Amino acid sequence: QVQLVESGGGLVQAGGSLRLSCAASRRTVSDYAMGWFRQAPGKEREFVAAISRNGGSTSYADSVKGRFTISKDNAKNAMYLQMNSLKPEDTAVYYCAARTAFGGSSVFNGYAYWGQGTQVTVSS
């Protein structure tokens, strides 16, 4: 089964950018549809973005549409989340996830594999 490790989180000012990475091991990202979720303190885990197994289809939460971009790089066996125009409300722990279905999903329990998370903090 695939193992996922996130990186790239940190502290950034509002309006800034970050690029999160999700490195896969034991299996290749081309075998999975994948997604990004986030969880802020005291809140439920929420969907951010998803990408299909072949990378040809993506979907986004309304709150990040136009600011975030999800992508996969099969050669590097990794998935990414480019986050631009960050807002304080984007502050959360960000998790990458994978599922064996072809398409991504906005439902967190549709994913069988999860990384440990990376903290993103956006200051105002």
Side-chain angles (χ1 to χ4, degrees):
Q1 63 187 34
V2 67
Q3 289 189 328
L4 305 172
V5 178
E6 302 94 336
S7 62
L11 174 64
V12 64
Q13 289 188 333
S17 297
L18 281 176
R19 188 195 195 205
L20 303 185
S21 298
C22 175
S25 60
R26 296 193 177 183
R27 297 289 297 272
T28 62
V29 296
S30 59
D31 291 337
Y32 300 89
M34 301 181 74
W36 288 98
F37 288 76
R38 66 188 182 186
Q39 188 166 19
K43 295 187 177 181
E44 294 185 351
R45 192 169 298 191
E46 66 173 1
F47 169 72
V48 175
I51 189 166
S52 60
R53 190 187 301 168
N54 68 355
S57 178
T58 59
S59 60
Y60 298 91
D62 288 343
S63 59
V64 307
K65 203 170 293 183
R67 301 188 296 123
F68 291 10
T69 303
I70 189 172
S71 61
K72 294 168 77 178
D73 186 331
N74 291 340
K76 295 184 178 180
N77 206 27
M79 176 180 67
Y80 304 98
L81 185 68
Q82 177 66 43
M83 306 187 295
N84 298 329
S85 303
L86 283 160
K87 304 175 181 180
E89 51 264 44
D90 294 319
T91 295
V93 177
Y94 282 71
Y95 298 89
C96 69
R99 62 193 238 128
T100 54
F102 179 81
S105 172
S106 62
V107 179
F108 79 90
N109 61 9
Y111 292 84
Y113 309 104
W114 291 85
Q116 83 291 348
T118 185
Q119 176 71 47
V120 171
T121 303
V122 184
S123 64
S124 57

